[in-house]
Amino acid sequence: MTLSSSGAHLIGQKIGMTRVFDEKGVSVPVTVIQVGANVVTQVRSPDVDGYAAVQIGAGDIKPRNSTMPLIGHDAKAGSAPLRHHKEFRVPEKDLGNYELGQELTLGALEGVRFVDVIGTSKGKGFQGTMKRHNFKGQQASHGVERKHRSPGSIGGHATNRGHSGKLKKGKRMSGQMGNERVTVRSLDIVRIDAENNLLLVKGPVPGHNKAWVEIRPAIRLYKSKVQKG
Amino acid sequence: MGHQQILESVNADAIKTDLPRLDIGDTINVHCRIVEGEKERIQIFQGTLISRKGRGINEMITVRRVVDDIGIERTWPINSPFISKFEVMRRADARRAKLYFLRDRVGKSRRLRDRRRGLKHIQAETAGAQ
């Protein structure tokens, strides 16, 4: 079965980055993602659950590290205990493509040239506006004192005030940076090694090595990629 | 298989196994493949190997040569398909891993001592490596 961009995603583990030389000899930076067997652990139908979705499980876990309810849940799908379970909305008409216990592998990406990869970015902690939003900061001299990295004015009444005298929501300021869900769109698939369950995509992917990421066929391509494809 | 082994296995077949022994300080010929449109030709860059860094597929070499008193350094991945061959022209005596000090040298002091004294050793080593 081939995945569509509006269906379930594959769950894989980021192994790390390296380089490969393409057929022209050009060095291509790649991220290696290990995608083992993904098991359909539950199919949610509109009749029973009120909406259409599939739950995908992936990753080995020792039974003693899982819980009895989860072990039973995975056993219903005929699978050993799984580490991660994720639910994905599926269009109702495609629900018939999935059945309980079905295994999705990298074969599902056959014929796909671009993928989106979703993960949790590395946490950077509480950061100022220069690092977080690429603000310029203030001048190094010309009378600037102790304010070299501060954001400056956050605007006057006319531009930035919402109702009730407060700032509009979403004003860019200091705060937590990273450790959030990030989608990287339309990455080139460099190689699919189905034998070793490895997927090589061009460029970086959110998260640290060993982080778990979701992979789906690209929903919408960038203009340059459309021309390429 | 550990994660590092997986990364190494991804490009294991791209790593060259037929490399000669390349030591720091050696004068080497690098045969670069240059593609111009349809045509392809080989350009030879001769210089002193001043640095090797990285490991596995990421290993880079830096070769320095001086033309008309202007130093030229080129850096390649040692496993790049754009390099068809390495030839060792001369072995030299280098006492450090990186010969960046050659950049500040002018005139005759640029030369490195030939490794004649131990040449027998080197030949034996090379034979052993192959």
Side-chain angles (χ1 to χ4, degrees):
Chain A
M1 186 203 133
T2 311
L3 283 186
S4 71
S5 49
S6 61
H9 304 176
L10 289 175
I11 303 175
Q13 197 174 19
K14 173 174 169 181
I15 300 292
M17 289 196 71
T18 180
R19 73 167 93 201
V20 296
F21 295 105
D22 67 7
E23 68 280 355
K24 280 183 195 153
V26 178
S27 170
V28 181
V30 294
T31 306
V32 182
I33 304 172
Q34 191 175 42
V35 185
N38 282 215
V39 184
V40 176
T41 45
Q42 196 173 12
V43 180
R44 294 200 181 270
S45 64
D47 302 337
V48 183
D49 306 286
Y51 62 99
V54 289
Q55 191 189 67
I56 306 286
D60 297 332
I61 189 171
K62 284 179 192 161
R64 71 150 186 250
N65 291 337
S66 193
T67 62
M68 282 312 282
L70 258 186
I71 292 172
H73 179 73
D74 292 333
K76 252 193 236 170
S79 158
L82 298 167
R83 185 172 290 271
H84 292 278
H85 300 82
K86 280 247 154 131
E87 203 170 288
F88 302 102
R89 288 293 188 106
V90 172
E92 236 175 282
K93 58 178 170 45
D94 295 343
L95 209 56
N97 294 342
Y98 302 94
E99 57 184 72
L100 191 65
Q102 184 185 3
E103 277 200 0
L104 301 174
T105 55
L106 276 177
L109 288 179
E110 207 166 298
V112 177
R113 291 193 53 199
F114 303 103
V115 288
D116 297 342
V117 178
I118 304 160
T120 305
S121 61
K122 280 183 185 171
K124 311 282 185 201
F126 190 102
Q127 293 298 337
T129 49
M130 283 181 75
K131 188 178 172 84
R132 192 171 179 224
H133 300 300
N134 294 327
F135 282 12
K136 283 181 183 164
Q138 310 305 312
Q139 285 177 315
S141 66
H142 289 290
V144 178
E145 280 186 330
R146 305 177 296 279
K147 292 278 176 203
H148 305 288
R149 294 183 64 88
S150 66
S153 165
I154 52 172
H157 258 281
T159 52
N160 282 303
R161 295 288 149 110
H163 298 293
S164 74
K166 279 185 183 172
L167 281 174
K168 277 182 186 169
K169 285 268 173 85
K171 184 78 198 157
R172 294 181 296 167
M173 292 189 185
S174 314
Q176 165 71 29
M177 181 180 173
N179 193 18
E180 60 178 350
R181 184 182 164 92
V182 175
T183 306
V184 191
R185 278 172 46 205
S186 33
L187 295 172
D188 296 42
I189 292 183
V190 177
R191 193 191 299 168
I192 294 179
D193 185 351
E195 197 181 321
N196 298 315
N197 295 327
L198 297 180
L199 169 71
L200 271 61
V201 295
K202 183 177 174 184
V205 151
H208 53 83
N209 292 347
K210 297 188 185 180
W212 289 84
V213 293
E214 299 166 25
I215 304 133
R216 68 170 180 226
I219 280 188
R220 193 162 47 99
L221 296 178
Y222 291 116
K223 210 173 187 178
S224 58
K225 307 246 169 167
V226 173
Q227 284 157 358
K228 227 165 107 186
Chain B
M1 201 155 53
H3 285 194
Q4 190 59 38
Q5 278 94 41
I6 293 176
L7 280 184
E8 281 165 13
S9 74
V10 164
N11 37 36
D13 49 349
I15 290 183
K16 295 177 182 171
T17 50
D18 55 346
L19 290 177
R21 189 194 158 99
L22 297 172
D23 288 331
I24 302 297
D26 293 354
T27 302
I28 59 174
N29 276 358
V30 184
H31 293 242
C32 321
R33 285 171 45 218
I34 292 179
V35 182
E36 290 166 335
E38 294 288 290
K39 274 188 277 181
E40 189 186 301
R41 62 192 177 82
I42 301 273
Q43 195 180 57
I44 297 173
F45 186 89
Q46 187 180 64
T48 317
L49 178 59
I50 61 167
S51 134
R52 276 180 85 153
K53 61 182 190 180
R55 49 163 63 184
I57 194 78
N58 289 322
E59 184 164 359
M60 309 286 286
I61 58 162
T62 305
V63 180
R64 177 180 172 86
R65 73 174 298 186
V66 177
V67 185
D68 291 343
D69 268 355
I70 296 172
I72 300 170
E73 282 179 19
R74 293 194 65 179
T75 306
W76 295 273
I78 204 165
N79 292 297
S80 169
F82 282 123
I83 297 178
S84 57
K85 197 166 72 165
F86 290 104
E87 275 176 318
V88 181
M89 305 308 287
R90 207 166 68 91
R91 302 265 184 203
D93 197 7
R95 298 184 134 204
R96 46 235 52 235
K98 304 279 188 284
L99 304 184
Y100 297 143
F101 66 86
L102 288 180
R103 292 168 178 167
D104 305 326
R105 294 280 179 92
V106 179
K108 281 187 177 174
S109 61
R110 258 188 222 128
R111 293 168 309 171
L112 292 170
R113 187 150 53 115
D114 212 329
R115 210 155 67 177
R116 282 203 195 91
R117 204 173 24 160
L119 205 58
K120 263 187 237 157
H121 270 306
I122 294 155
Q123 275 162 351
E125 277 169 18
T126 325
Q130 284 162 359

